[in-house]
Amino acid sequence: MRDTTLLFLTKTSETGVITDICRAMKKRGFGAGRWNGTGGKTESGETIKDAVVRETQEEIDVTVSEMSKVAELTFTFPHKPEWDQLVHVFFADEYAGTPTESEEMKPSWFAVADIPYDDMWPDDRLWLPHVLEGKYVRAAFSFAEGDVIVSQEVNIVTEL
């Protein structure tokens, strides 16, 4: 199982409540046609946080220096075990640059109430609302062909 990363830019109110989230439409490769965060595989010798910074820079031209880990998601694909991955999920509300479209992703901001769950991975609606409320999540999902969830376990945890 490989380590991968996922980052979402967020905007928060003065009281610390997340009001908006930047999702990016994946234009090619794994997950194409879905709104997601930036991220991907770690490269040789690269830390998880280094991978988050690099992938976000490459995919939406934003530089992130501070981020908070909000979830660890295990995905298994019995029909395609090479897709199995442990995803380290981060939020960042401080960054440099303006999210910009690349060959791989087209970013857009969504109010939390207007997140397009129908155009995202089906597991997102099961864990993302929890982290948007400030909780930490450790979850596991198994997918059959056609991206159908065949098993799931979502746990709220006190730390990651």
Side-chain angles (χ1 to χ4, degrees):
M1 181 162 308
R2 67 179 185 243
D3 283 311
T4 62
T5 64
L6 192 59
L7 177 115
F8 298 100
L9 302 178
T10 59
K11 294 179 184 176
T12 57
S13 69
E14 291 179 8
T15 59
V17 174
I18 296 173
T19 58
D20 298 272
I21 187 168
C22 184
R23 307 288 300 196
M25 176 57 71
K26 183 85 160 128
K27 295 165 53 176
R28 64 181 187 196
F30 187 75
R34 293 197 166 126
W35 291 104
N36 209 345
T38 60
K41 298 180 278 269
T42 57
E43 294 182 351
S44 180
E46 192 174 46
T47 68
I48 296 296
K49 286 192 174 182
D50 288 344
V52 169
V53 170
R54 176 185 51 76
E55 290 281 354
T56 301
Q57 179 67 45
E58 290 173 1
E59 293 177 349
I60 62 170
D61 198 24
V62 166
T63 302
V64 177
S65 56
E66 296 294 322
M67 64 195 87
S68 301
K69 190 170 185 179
V70 297
E72 289 180 352
L73 311 173
T74 300
F75 295 102
T76 56
F77 300 82
H79 64 288
K80 281 273 211 193
E82 64 271 21
W83 289 356
D84 292 357
Q85 54 194 284
L86 171 60
V87 182
H88 303 268
V89 184
F90 297 86
F91 279 179
D93 62 2
E94 295 184 26
Y95 54 90
T98 301
T100 304
E101 184 173 357
S102 68
E103 290 181 12
E104 189 167 351
M105 302 196 91
K106 181 179 181 180
S108 186
W109 285 97
F110 295 93
V112 168
D114 298 325
I115 294 174
Y117 286 106
D118 289 342
D119 296 319
M120 296 161 46
W121 282 94
D123 61 276
D124 287 3
R125 68 176 69 242
L126 303 173
W127 65 267
L128 183 59
H130 296 297
V131 295
L132 289 169
E133 293 172 355
K135 299 172 184 165
Y136 299 111
V137 170
R138 189 169 282 127
F141 302 93
S142 184
F143 284 86
E145 291 187 60
D147 300 332
V148 174
I149 297 172
V150 292
S151 69
Q152 64 187 29
E153 182 178 338
V154 178
N155 297 297
I156 307 302
V157 297
T158 57
E159 63 183 10
L160 293 169

